[in-house]
Amino acid sequence: MRVFYSMLVGFMVAGCVQPQPPAQPEPHEWMVRCYMLSAVSNTRQCFAGTFGYNMSSDGQPQRGATSAGPFQVYYLNDRGPYLMVGAHNFPGRRPEVRFDDDRNARTVPNDGGVTDPRPAPQIVNRMLTASVARASFSVWPHGTRSMFVYLDGFPEAWAELQRIRRGR
């Protein structure tokens, strides 16, 4: 009889304990750095970057989300700012980024190496006031991937990027 009551109490307690929602991933910090990309062409790259999380179809980070790849704003010598979204390298396709609850996504002017990248200052300006970015990019030959990026800390990283890229 004691076993029965112990089991009954155990089931009642188990039924009363509500499962905890999955913890949201903590935002990544932004890294800001300059380095020599190519000594042959004398190209210096400076970037402010973080990593995005794999994103589910509802626009949120996947449960147990892992890194979906880099999300960077960068300069090549004094040209830029360019935007790197994930490991985008699908020829002819362009990444897209939607910030917060904006109605429309913005197309990133990077077509996977078919042509040279073009600066994206309007996208960077929007990043300065946004909280999150939801992006899609394409990986050859696999296709489209989606990522969720926390943008908190980007304004400070942007300011530091401007400081160090000019300081050489």
Side-chain angles (χ1 to χ4, degrees), residues 140-160:
W140 178 264
H142 306 292
T144 302
R145 305 276 193 259
S146 297
M147 73 162 61
F148 181 97
V149 182
Y150 291 101
L151 297 175
D152 53 318
F154 177 69
E156 296 83 359
W158 175 250
E160 178 67 7

Side-chain angles (χ1 to χ4, degrees), residues 2 17 26 41 55 58 62 65 70-71 74 82 117 120 125-126 135 154 163 166:
R2 285 185 187 178
V17 176
E26 291 296 318
S41 63
M55 186 174 69
D58 67 357
Q62 289 178 348
F71 191 86
Y74 67 98
Y82 303 110
N125 286 338
R126 180 63 180 103
F154 177 69
R163 187 188 69 73
R166 291 185 177 121

Side-chain angles (χ1 to χ4, degrees), residues 5-77:
Y5 284 119
S6 295
M7 288 175 51
L8 181 62
V9 169
F11 285 121
M12 288 174 55
V13 169
C16 293
V17 176
Q18 298 297 318
Q20 296 297 315
Q24 291 298 318
E26 291 296 318
H28 283 353
E29 292 186 16
W30 288 82
M31 175 186 287
V32 180
R33 186 181 344 167
C34 291
Y35 64 96
M36 184 58 69
L37 182 65
S38 170
V40 174
S41 63
N42 195 29
T43 303
R44 182 172 176 255
Q45 181 171 347
C46 295
F47 71 91
T50 189
F51 288 90
Y53 294 103
N54 287 313
M55 186 174 69
S56 61
S57 60
D58 67 357
Q60 297 301 312
Q62 289 178 348
R63 183 179 297 193
T66 58
S67 174
F71 191 86
Q72 291 183 358
V73 173
Y74 67 98
Y75 285 84
L76 297 173
N77 292 332

